[in-house]
Amino acid sequence: MSNSDAHSHNEEHFNSSQLVTDIVIGMSDGLTVPFALAAGLSGAVHDTHIIVVAGMAEIAAGSIAMGLGGYLAGKTEIDHYNSELKREEWEVDHLPEREKEEVRVIFEEMGMSPATQKLVVDEMANDKVKWVDFMMRYELGLEKPDPKRARNSALNIGLSYVIGGMVPLSPYYFTDNPIDGLKYSAAITVLCLFVFGFFKAKATGQKPLQGALKVMLIGSVAAAAAFFIAKIFSA
């Protein structure tokens, strides 16, 4: 495999990881929060129309809030990288010997011989761009973020929240009785939480069945708590 092919593969893997992270963030809250809201309202009101309107309002507000949070997180990542990049460029220009020593120490920790260390460091010092990039990666542990990361993160999280939120809300469109709507909503949502938790755990290297049960339990407890609290206060 050529260097260009390897680089393309790494970037694709990195972007895919970010996409999975965004979907997990948006979908997990999208399934859980509107489910708990609908369950709570089912214990307090007798009109499914109210539940649908409140649920749609929550999904709209939640997706915007979550998307904005993703945007700000992505923007902060880019700003942090650019700030550290400027600092490294200044240090390479004004403190080259200290930066060379830092590079040499990194190669020493990799097991290179002193002669090889000096040869590689001197060669790297001839290319400022690669030198700074090396320091960003191996001294600071920072990868250059995608300039579209903030925008993409906002869209991915927001859309995932909407899709997740429509799952527990959809049964209320087809019934006039909130309790009946809750029964169907609970059955569908708990199943989706299980499936979502399974794939989430598998993608993050955890035990799939354990992860599925954990996500399903969290969503179920939240909805049950909301329902019984609403019942108590409405009574």
Side-chain angles (χ1 to χ4, degrees):
M1 181 183 293
S2 66
N3 291 335
S4 60
D5 290 339
H7 177 72
S8 298
H9 173 74
N10 289 336
E11 288 299 319
E12 181 180 354
H13 176 73
F14 181 65
N15 291 335
S16 297
S17 298
Q18 291 180 335
L19 176 61
V20 170
T21 300
D22 291 342
I23 291 176
V24 167
I25 292 172
M27 189 72 74
S28 58
D29 280 10
L31 282 168
T32 305
V33 178
F35 181 36
L37 173 67
L41 289 174
S42 296
V45 302
H46 302 286
D47 187 353
T48 56
H49 179 70
I50 296 176
I51 299 174
V52 170
V53 172
M56 291 299 294
E58 195 288 322
I59 290 174
S63 63
I64 292 172
M66 293 289 291
L68 180 59
Y71 177 84
L72 293 176
K75 191 70 168 59
T76 299
E77 180 184 349
I78 294 171
D79 291 342
H80 174 63
Y81 181 89
N82 291 334
S83 175
E84 291 297 326
L85 179 64
K86 290 179 181 179
R87 185 177 66 84
E88 282 298 330
E89 289 174 340
W90 185 91
E91 291 179 350
V92 165
D93 287 334
H94 296 84
L95 303 169
E97 294 306 317
R98 193 188 76 175
E99 292 299 291
K100 285 183 180 180
E101 177 61 17
E102 290 178 354
V103 174
R104 188 198 66 75
V105 170
I106 293 173
F107 287 134
E108 182 182 31
E109 293 174 349
M110 292 180 178
M112 291 186 182
S113 66
T116 304
Q117 293 169 27
K118 185 178 185 307
L119 179 64
V120 176
V121 169
D122 291 341
E123 183 68 25
M124 182 177 294
N126 293 326
D127 190 329
K128 177 184 173 181
V129 174
K130 291 182 179 179
W131 188 1
V132 171
D133 182 64
F134 179 88
M135 299 303 290
M136 294 293 290
R137 288 170 179 264
Y138 294 97
E139 182 192 19
L140 303 178
L142 296 176
E143 294 281 350
K144 184 177 182 180
D146 184 350
K148 299 178 182 178
R149 169 63 179 155
R151 182 200 66 186
N152 292 344
S153 182
L155 292 174
N156 294 335
I157 293 175
L159 184 59
S160 297
Y161 190 96
V162 171
I163 294 173
M166 291 304 298
V167 171
L169 196 61
S170 57
Y172 292 93
Y173 284 97
F174 306 103
T175 179
D176 295 327
N177 189 321
I179 300 301
D180 290 339
L182 178 59
K183 292 177 182 178
Y184 294 122
S185 176
I188 296 172
T189 306
V190 167
L191 177 61
C192 287
L193 284 168
F194 183 88
V195 174
F196 171 74
F198 182 90
F199 285 105
K200 174 187 173 183
K202 198 170 183 179
T204 54
Q206 301 174 10
K207 295 181 180 179
L209 183 59
Q210 184 177 342
L213 292 174
K214 185 190 300 183
V215 171
M216 184 179 70
L217 181 62
I218 291 172
S220 299
V221 169
F227 175 81
F228 286 113
I229 289 173
K231 269 288 188 184
I232 292 172
F233 281 96
S234 63

